[in-house]
Amino acid sequence: MDSLIIPENYHSLLSVRETEVAIKKLKDYFESNLAEVLNLTRVSAPLFVDKNSGLNDNLNGIERPVEFNIKAIEGINIEIVQSLAKWKRLALNKYKFEKDEGLYTDMNAIRRDEDLDNLHSLYVDQWDWEKVIDKRERNIDKLKDIVRDIYGVFKGAEQYINSLYPQIKPELPEEIYFITTQELEDKYPDLTPKEREDAVTEEKKAVFIMKIGGKLNSGIEHDGRAPDYDDWELNGDIIFWYPILSRAFEVSSMGIRVDEITLKKQLSLSNNEDRLDLPFHKKIIKKELPYTIGGGIGQSRICMFFLRKAHVGEVQAAIWPDEMHSLCNRGNIFLL
């Protein structure tokens, strides 16, 4: 429980019933506005995939997917998705989406090895989105343009919630601040990557931290990223400052996806070249898939942020250790 934060004198601004109503209103607003701004069509998505397809997200490479076999098809193992980063790119091709068109879906995942705290649950729910771009748009300017579009939806959502619940005051700045992981290391050389995120986000309030995945000049990584979907030079996280917990609060991870060149490079750097034999990876090498940008936006995360909750368990039903329940109860945090 060392990572659990119990804010002093915490009281939820909404009752449990009010919270449940607010969650629905917020999700409806955010989903419709995100789709409009990015020109996205909602599609259905899988809860599980064939283990041998190469479609599941390997995250940092150490998390164990939930795996099982099935009665109907012998000889294959099925994995609960950890995200849909690769599946979405295949879907754009299969459904014949064109340039500047995209899709989004409700992604539900189980991450059995997650360390549980105020922000992390075994259950992950997010909007996964993906959009077709031209190869010439694989650059920082395009990435920043999309980030600004998404940030506008966040700003609108905050104003919308304030109009419904005046006690919840807007806090986001007018513009989001951009910085790379190397610039962060240069700015705060004596801090850990997590401490750097806290420092810059406390100062700027809303930050997009770019270029996550490769090693910095110090020889360490800012954070882990799978080598076979994001281009490590063209990705990042949207992070807000969250006064209730006095820490940086990640709401989205996104990026321009690997092309045939960066896929080989990043698999080599991460010693994962064996993945080149998987069906998804072969399609990228053969240029059979569109060039895309995409990401995920945490549904429970944004509900927690905009409804000013101290724990993600206040906006989603999940399983928590008994000790966490006891500590939260004493701190006026009601876990669903």
mmCIF file with all atom_site columns, all heavy atoms in Angstrom, residues 59 74 101 146 158 163 179 202:
data_model
loop_
_atom_site.group_PDB
_atom_site.id
_atom_site.type_symbol
_atom_site.label_atom_id
_atom_site.label_alt_id
_atom_site.label_comp_id
_atom_site.label_asym_id
_atom_site.label_entity_id
_atom_site.label_seq_id
_atom_site.pdbx_PDB_ins_code
_atom_site.Cartn_x
_atom_site.Cartn_y
_atom_site.Cartn_z
_atom_site.occupancy
_atom_site.B_iso_or_equiv
_atom_site.pdbx_formal_charge
_atom_site.auth_seq_id
_atom_site.auth_comp_id
_atom_site.auth_asym_id
_atom_site.auth_atom_id
_atom_site.pdbx_PDB_model_num
ATOM 1  N N   . LEU A 1 59  ? 2.917   -4.198  -24.172 1.00 0.00 ? 59  LEU A N   1
ATOM 2  C CA  . LEU A 1 59  ? 3.168   -3.170  -23.174 1.00 0.00 ? 59  LEU A CA  1
ATOM 3  C C   . LEU A 1 59  ? 4.667   -3.030  -22.934 1.00 0.00 ? 59  LEU A C   1
ATOM 4  O O   . LEU A 1 59  ? 5.416   -2.768  -23.865 1.00 0.00 ? 59  LEU A O   1
ATOM 5  C CB  . LEU A 1 59  ? 2.403   -3.502  -21.883 1.00 0.00 ? 59  LEU A CB  1
ATOM 6  C CG  . LEU A 1 59  ? 0.874   -3.624  -22.046 1.00 0.00 ? 59  LEU A CG  1
ATOM 7  C CD1 . LEU A 1 59  ? 0.238   -4.015  -20.708 1.00 0.00 ? 59  LEU A CD1 1
ATOM 8  C CD2 . LEU A 1 59  ? 0.267   -2.342  -22.564 1.00 0.00 ? 59  LEU A CD2 1
ATOM 9  N N   . GLU A 1 74  ? -9.620  -26.272 -31.326 1.00 0.00 ? 74  GLU A N   1
ATOM 10 C CA  . GLU A 1 74  ? -8.486  -26.916 -30.670 1.00 0.00 ? 74  GLU A CA  1
ATOM 11 C C   . GLU A 1 74  ? -7.167  -26.394 -31.233 1.00 0.00 ? 74  GLU A C   1
ATOM 12 O O   . GLU A 1 74  ? -7.074  -26.000 -32.394 1.00 0.00 ? 74  GLU A O   1
ATOM 13 C CB  . GLU A 1 74  ? -8.559  -28.432 -30.864 1.00 0.00 ? 74  GLU A CB  1
ATOM 14 C CG  . GLU A 1 74  ? -9.749  -29.088 -30.176 1.00 0.00 ? 74  GLU A CG  1
ATOM 15 C CD  . GLU A 1 74  ? -9.723  -30.595 -30.304 1.00 0.00 ? 74  GLU A CD  1
ATOM 16 O OE1 . GLU A 1 74  ? -8.747  -31.116 -30.891 1.00 0.00 ? 74  GLU A OE1 1
ATOM 17 O OE2 . GLU A 1 74  ? -10.661 -31.245 -29.810 1.00 0.00 ? 74  GLU A OE2 1
ATOM 18 N N   . GLU A 1 101 ? -9.595  9.685   -42.426 1.00 0.00 ? 101 GLU A N   1
ATOM 19 C CA  . GLU A 1 101 ? -10.699 8.993   -41.771 1.00 0.00 ? 101 GLU A CA  1
ATOM 20 C C   . GLU A 1 101 ? -10.142 8.087   -40.682 1.00 0.00 ? 101 GLU A C   1
ATOM 21 O O   . GLU A 1 101 ? -9.003  7.615   -40.760 1.00 0.00 ? 101 GLU A O   1
ATOM 22 C CB  . GLU A 1 101 ? -11.482 8.142   -42.775 1.00 0.00 ? 101 GLU A CB  1
ATOM 23 C CG  . GLU A 1 101 ? -12.156 8.937   -43.878 1.00 0.00 ? 101 GLU A CG  1
ATOM 24 C CD  . GLU A 1 101 ? -12.863 8.051   -44.883 1.00 0.00 ? 101 GLU A CD  1
ATOM 25 O OE1 . GLU A 1 101 ? -12.511 6.852   -44.969 1.00 0.00 ? 101 GLU A OE1 1
ATOM 26 O OE2 . GLU A 1 101 ? -13.758 8.557   -45.578 1.00 0.00 ? 101 GLU A OE2 1
ATOM 27 N N   . ILE A 1 146 ? -2.705  16.993  -33.885 1.00 0.00 ? 146 ILE A N   1
ATOM 28 C CA  . ILE A 1 146 ? -3.707  16.061  -33.350 1.00 0.00 ? 146 ILE A CA  1
ATOM 29 C C   . ILE A 1 146 ? -3.817  16.201  -31.835 1.00 0.00 ? 146 ILE A C   1
ATOM 30 O O   . ILE A 1 146 ? -4.919  16.163  -31.268 1.00 0.00 ? 146 ILE A O   1
ATOM 31 C CB  . ILE A 1 146 ? -3.371  14.610  -33.731 1.00 0.00 ? 146 ILE A CB  1
ATOM 32 C CG1 . ILE A 1 146 ? -3.385  14.432  -35.246 1.00 0.00 ? 146 ILE A CG1 1
ATOM 33 C CG2 . ILE A 1 146 ? -4.335  13.638  -33.070 1.00 0.00 ? 146 ILE A CG2 1
ATOM 34 C CD1 . ILE A 1 146 ? -4.740  14.574  -35.886 1.00 0.00 ? 146 ILE A CD1 1
ATOM 35 N N   . GLU A 1 158 ? -14.299 19.748  -19.624 1.00 0.00 ? 158 GLU A N   1
ATOM 36 C CA  . GLU A 1 158 ? -14.189 20.393  -18.319 1.00 0.00 ? 158 GLU A CA  1
ATOM 37 C C   . GLU A 1 158 ? -15.236 21.495  -18.158 1.00 0.00 ? 158 GLU A C   1
ATOM 38 O O   . GLU A 1 158 ? -15.867 21.628  -17.105 1.00 0.00 ? 158 GLU A O   1
ATOM 39 C CB  . GLU A 1 158 ? -12.782 20.964  -18.133 1.00 0.00 ? 158 GLU A CB  1
ATOM 40 C CG  . GLU A 1 158 ? -12.535 21.518  -16.742 1.00 0.00 ? 158 GLU A CG  1
ATOM 41 C CD  . GLU A 1 158 ? -11.107 21.983  -16.547 1.00 0.00 ? 158 GLU A CD  1
ATOM 42 O OE1 . GLU A 1 158 ? -10.639 22.823  -17.337 1.00 0.00 ? 158 GLU A OE1 1
ATOM 43 O OE2 . GLU A 1 158 ? -10.454 21.505  -15.600 1.00 0.00 ? 158 GLU A OE2 1
ATOM 44 N N   . SER A 1 163 ? -20.633 23.271  -16.075 1.00 0.00 ? 163 SER A N   1
ATOM 45 C CA  . SER A 1 163 ? -21.985 23.778  -16.309 1.00 0.00 ? 163 SER A CA  1
ATOM 46 C C   . SER A 1 163 ? -23.042 22.915  -15.611 1.00 0.00 ? 163 SER A C   1
ATOM 47 O O   . SER A 1 163 ? -24.104 23.412  -15.225 1.00 0.00 ? 163 SER A O   1
ATOM 48 C CB  . SER A 1 163 ? -22.284 23.842  -17.807 1.00 0.00 ? 163 SER A CB  1
ATOM 49 O OG  . SER A 1 163 ? -22.453 22.541  -18.366 1.00 0.00 ? 163 SER A OG  1
ATOM 50 N N   . ILE A 1 179 ? 7.053   19.019  -24.658 1.00 0.00 ? 179 ILE A N   1
ATOM 51 C CA  . ILE A 1 179 ? 8.450   18.830  -24.273 1.00 0.00 ? 179 ILE A CA  1
ATOM 52 C C   . ILE A 1 179 ? 8.849   17.386  -24.553 1.00 0.00 ? 179 ILE A C   1
ATOM 53 O O   . ILE A 1 179 ? 8.019   16.477  -24.436 1.00 0.00 ? 179 ILE A O   1
ATOM 54 C CB  . ILE A 1 179 ? 8.664   19.176  -22.781 1.00 0.00 ? 179 ILE A CB  1
ATOM 55 C CG1 . ILE A 1 179 ? 10.157  19.238  -22.438 1.00 0.00 ? 179 ILE A CG1 1
ATOM 56 C CG2 . ILE A 1 179 ? 7.928   18.199  -21.876 1.00 0.00 ? 179 ILE A CG2 1
ATOM 57 C CD1 . ILE A 1 179 ? 10.434  19.841  -21.061 1.00 0.00 ? 179 ILE A CD1 1
ATOM 58 N N   . GLU A 1 202 ? 3.442   20.048  -12.767 1.00 0.00 ? 202 GLU A N   1
ATOM 59 C CA  . GLU A 1 202 ? 3.037   21.001  -11.734 1.00 0.00 ? 202 GLU A CA  1
ATOM 60 C C   . GLU A 1 202 ? 3.240   22.434  -12.220 1.00 0.00 ? 202 GLU A C   1
ATOM 61 O O   . GLU A 1 202 ? 2.431   23.318  -11.934 1.00 0.00 ? 202 GLU A O   1
ATOM 62 C CB  . GLU A 1 202 ? 3.815   20.767  -10.442 1.00 0.00 ? 202 GLU A CB  1
ATOM 63 C CG  . GLU A 1 202 ? 3.368   21.676  -9.310  1.00 0.00 ? 202 GLU A CG  1
ATOM 64 C CD  . GLU A 1 202 ? 4.046   21.375  -7.992  1.00 0.00 ? 202 GLU A CD  1
ATOM 65 O OE1 . GLU A 1 202 ? 5.080   20.662  -7.986  1.00 0.00 ? 202 GLU A OE1 1
ATOM 66 O OE2 . GLU A 1 202 ? 3.539   21.848  -6.956  1.00 0.00 ? 202 GLU A OE2 1
#
